Structures are given as structure tokens and as C-alpha cells.
Amino acid sequence: MTLDDLSRNEKKVSGVAAVVMHLLFFALLVFGVSWQKRQPDNAMVVDLWSSLPAVPKAETPRPEPKPEPEPPRPAPKPEPKPLPPKAEPKPPPKPEPKAQVKPDIALKEKLEKERKLKEEKIEQDKKLKAEQARKEKEVAEKKQRELQEAQAKRAAQEQAEAQRKLAAVQAAASQKMVDEYKRRISEKIKRFIVEPPNLNAKAEVEFDIVVIPGGEVLSAKLKRSTNSLPAYDSAVERAIMRAQPLPLPPDPALASQFRELNLVFKPGT
């Protein structure tokens, strides 16, 4: 019997008990009313009641005993849920068998592989040639630079040699001109020397002369005398002063070489 059945039985029992109670209450009500209508004359009442046929007393229906409710059945224990099965390790996937290549596909792949190898070889050959060309270019450029440097060095040397030669030629020409004008100066001074009598032919006198631009003599200093004949020293000094202006070269670059002159004079020369 379930709980719902027990609940319905209890409701039925409760309804029957309610009906019984109502009947008891009605019987008590009727009995009370009849008891209040009795007269104070007990004799009459007794006779009256005695003359009446005996009325059997209404038996009060006894309430049926309530059926004891059955004890509630214990709630069924929830069945334990089965544990999920342990995941078994998956076996390693089996290698799929390679699909058999058809002969035409195999041939196509072989040709494609050979084509790629040829292209790679061609590309490598191009790289090697490019590298070789680059090295050859570097070698050629290096040789060209070395040749240019050698040519420049040789040209510099030749130019330096030419300049040296030119300078030597110019120096020689300048020295020649200097020597020429020194000779002219000496000759001009000699024209004004008045040699004293009994002059020794070996007599020699030396003067340091300072000349300013224009040929004027600023000073004439005796550097080395004849000693034996001072008259010859004085005669040369007077000739130097009388010979000015002395002849100088027209080139101003040579004027510095005629600023200070050292002249030697000998009799008869």
C-alpha cells in the first residue's frame, strides 16, 4: 500500500467519524427537547408513559475504531549509480597502408623530380658562374687600380724628375746669369781702378759690397788686403764707388743674389 492509499483511507475514516458525531449531536438534541416538555405531575407522566408502548432505546452507534495507519514505509534507498567505465587507453593508430601508386603517377612523379633536380643544377651553375664572374671582376678591378696607381706613381716620379731637371736648368741659367752679371760688375769696377806704380802682379784684394735695388752701392768693406801695398786697396775701393750704379739683372727674382757681393780683384786682370 502506498502513501496515497493511506491518505485516502484516513480521509474516509475522518468522514465516517464526522457523520457519527453529527448523529450523536442530533440524538442529544432530540432527547433534550423531549425532556423539557415533561409536566411537573409525575403521576400523569408516569401513567402516560406507562400507557405508551415501550419504545426501544435507540442504540447509539459506536464509532468504528479507526484503523491504525500503517507505518510509512522507508523511502527506497537510491540505487548507487554505476561508475562510468574507465577509459581504456586507445591503441596506437595503425599505420594506414600506403596507397599503391599507379605506374603512370609514379612515372609522373619521377619526371617531376628529375625536372626539379635539373632546375636546381642549372640554378647552382648560374650561382657558380656569377660568383666566378664576380671574382674575375674583382681581380680585374684590382689589377686596373694597381695599374692606375703605378701609372700615377710613374707620372708623379716623371713630373718630379722633370721639375727637378727644370729647376736644375733654371738654377743653372740663373747661376749663369748671376755669374755673368758679377763678371760685368767686376769689369765695370776694374775700368775705374787706377793701379799704383811698382804693383806686384801677385797682389790680390777682396771686398764685401752691399748693393741696393737700382745698382747703388750702400757699403764697400775690405775683407782681405794686399798688406804689401795699401794704395792698391784704396784704389779698388774708390773704383767701386765710382762704378755705381752697378749693372744688375732685369729678373727681380735674382736681385736677392746681388744684395751682398763678394768680389776679388787682381792687378792686370
Side-chain angles (χ1 to χ4, degrees):
M1 184 180 291
T2 62
L3 294 175
D4 294 338
D5 295 337
L6 292 174
S7 178
R8 283 194 294 269
N9 291 335
E10 287 179 356
K11 289 180 180 180
K12 290 179 181 180
V13 172
S14 299
V16 172
V19 172
V20 171
M21 291 298 293
H22 281 84
L23 290 175
L24 289 174
F25 179 74
F26 181 74
L28 290 174
L29 183 61
V30 172
F31 179 74
V33 172
S34 62
W35 183 75
Q36 290 179 359
K37 288 182 179 181
R38 289 179 182 177
Q39 298 296 328
D41 192 0
N42 292 333
M44 290 181 64
V45 173
V46 172
D47 293 338
L48 181 61
W49 279 99
S50 61
S51 61
L52 291 175
V55 179
K57 292 182 180 181
E59 294 180 359
T60 303
R62 295 181 181 178
E64 296 180 359
K66 296 180 179 180
E68 294 181 0
E70 295 182 1
R73 295 183 179 180
K77 294 181 180 180
E79 296 181 0
K81 295 181 179 180
L83 296 174
K86 293 183 180 180
E88 296 181 359
K90 294 182 179 180
K94 295 181 179 179
E96 296 181 358
K98 294 183 180 180
Q100 294 181 355
V101 183
K102 294 183 179 180
D104 54 347
I105 298 176
L107 179 60
K108 185 177 181 181
E109 290 179 353
K110 183 179 179 181
L111 294 175
E112 182 68 18
K113 188 175 181 180
E114 291 178 354
R115 184 184 64 80
K116 288 183 178 180
L117 290 174
K118 288 181 180 179
E119 290 179 353
E120 290 177 358
K121 189 175 183 305
I122 292 172
E123 189 67 23
Q124 289 178 357
D125 292 342
K126 286 182 180 179
K127 290 181 179 179
L128 290 174
K129 289 181 180 179
E131 184 66 18
Q132 186 176 0
R134 184 184 65 80
K135 290 182 179 179
E136 291 177 354
K137 184 179 179 182
E138 288 180 354
V139 172
E141 290 177 352
K142 185 178 179 181
K143 288 183 178 179
Q144 183 68 21
R145 286 195 302 269
E146 291 176 352
L147 179 60
Q148 291 176 354
E149 291 175 357
Q151 290 177 349
K153 187 176 181 180
R154 185 168 57 253
Q157 291 176 351
E158 291 176 354
Q159 185 177 1
E161 183 66 19
Q163 290 177 353
R164 186 184 64 78
K165 289 180 179 180
L166 179 61
V169 171
Q170 291 176 351
S174 298
Q175 188 63 38
K176 184 178 181 180
M177 185 172 289
V178 169
D179 294 341
E180 174 67 20
Y181 273 86
K182 283 183 178 181
R183 186 187 62 79
R184 291 182 184 183
I185 291 172
S186 296
E187 288 181 354
K188 185 176 182 181
I189 292 173
K190 287 178 181 179
R191 289 198 299 267
F192 289 95
I193 296 175
V194 178
E195 296 180 356
N198 302 321
L199 182 63
N200 188 358
K202 294 182 179 180
E204 186 176 285
V205 65
E206 184 177 356
F207 276 89
D208 286 335
I209 305 172
V210 177
V211 184
I212 62 176
E216 286 79 9
V217 177
L218 185 63
S219 65
K221 184 178 180 181
L222 179 62
K223 184 176 182 181
R224 185 165 52 86
S225 175
T226 57
N227 294 325
S228 60
L229 191 60
Y232 185 66
D233 298 342
S234 298
V236 173
E237 184 178 358
R238 287 192 299 268
I240 292 172
M241 301 305 294
R242 290 177 62 184
Q244 59 180 330
L246 301 177
L248 298 178
D251 189 359
L254 300 176
S256 61
Q257 298 190 36
F258 291 87
R259 176 71 176 171
E260 297 179 356
L261 295 176
N262 181 264
L263 299 178
V264 177
F265 297 95
K266 295 179 181 180
T269 58

